[in-house]
Amino acid sequence: MNSRLRPLFLVPAFVLAGCFATLSSFEQMAPTERAAYACKRHQSVRALDREIDRYSDQLLDIETALSAGYRVHKSCKSTPVVVPGTVTCTTDAGSGKTTCTDTSYTTYEQVCEEIPVAIDYRLEKDKKTDTSAKLRVAMGRRQDKYDKCYAAVKSMSPAQAFAFFKSVK
């Protein structure tokens, strides 16, 4: 098989291995592949990935507000809505009295209004600086955690690496 195409065929295998990692799949991987596979899925590395994503999202939100000059505040309230039903009337033959029943009912729906609110540029710039620093720290912690994991798992046998992978998911 053409060596340039080989990685393309390995991608689906590793995607499937993510769902169905087995000792056999670990035995077929090179030590560097086992280490990368196990460490990218390590719970503390994934937790730091989520933290990095959260800080990245916050930075995007701050940058959007800075470029627009405002934020959009969403104000919602619950409003009653009457759902019409049917009116059924019956007349008592003896008394001639008519009684009607209405099957309408009230439900509530959220009605929201978006209100633009001017931002405080100095506050947003400070938040951006703070969030950027937190992002850099989280990225450094993630890299340190990954590097330590990688070094440890790379030197393990396939069976040890698989046991490690199963224990830290």
Side-chain angles (χ1 to χ4, degrees):
M1 177 186 303
N2 185 337
S3 63
R4 289 187 309 158
L5 294 179
R6 186 169 179 238
L8 296 176
F9 290 106
L10 291 177
V11 171
F14 287 122
V15 170
L16 284 175
C19 301
F20 307 105
T22 62
L23 176 56
S24 174
S25 63
F26 267 63
E27 290 170 341
Q28 294 172 9
M29 294 179 199
T32 55
E33 291 171 316
R34 282 193 298 269
Y37 185 85
C39 294
K40 285 180 183 175
R41 289 159 181 78
H42 191 284
Q43 62 192 9
S44 60
V45 171
R46 288 191 347 229
L48 286 165
D49 285 339
R50 287 188 299 275
E51 186 177 332
I52 289 166
D53 288 346
R54 193 172 54 251
Y55 289 137
S56 296
D57 289 346
Q58 288 173 4
L59 275 175
L60 180 61
D61 180 57
I62 293 167
E63 289 168 359
T64 301
L66 283 168
S67 82
Y70 65 91
R71 289 189 181 280
V72 176
H73 175 74
K74 196 173 185 180
S75 175
C76 298
K77 61 182 177 179
S78 193
T79 306
V81 176
V82 176
V83 179
T86 58
V87 177
T88 308
C89 296
T90 57
T91 304
D92 185 316
S95 66
K97 183 176 178 182
T98 302
T99 307
C100 295
T101 317
D102 183 2
T103 60
S104 299
Y105 61 94
T106 302
T107 186
Y108 293 87
E109 70 178 32
Q110 287 279 72
V111 177
C112 298
E113 180 181 6
E114 293 185 345
I115 304 162
V117 179
I119 61 166
D120 177 342
Y121 277 95
R122 178 181 286 149
L123 177 64
E124 294 298 324
K125 289 276 189 185
D126 289 347
K127 282 173 37 180
K128 182 177 178 181
T129 301
D130 182 54
T131 304
S132 294
K134 288 177 180 176
L135 176 61
R136 282 190 300 279
V137 168
M139 290 172 78
R141 286 182 19 234
R142 191 252 186 229
Q143 192 62 50
D144 289 346
K145 182 66 76 175
Y146 179 84
D147 290 346
K148 287 176 184 171
C149 176
Y150 187 89
V153 175
K154 185 177 159 189
S155 64
M156 292 179 183
S157 71
Q160 291 170 322
F162 182 69
F164 172 83
F165 167 73
K166 291 305 245 182
S167 70
V168 295
K169 276 175 61 178

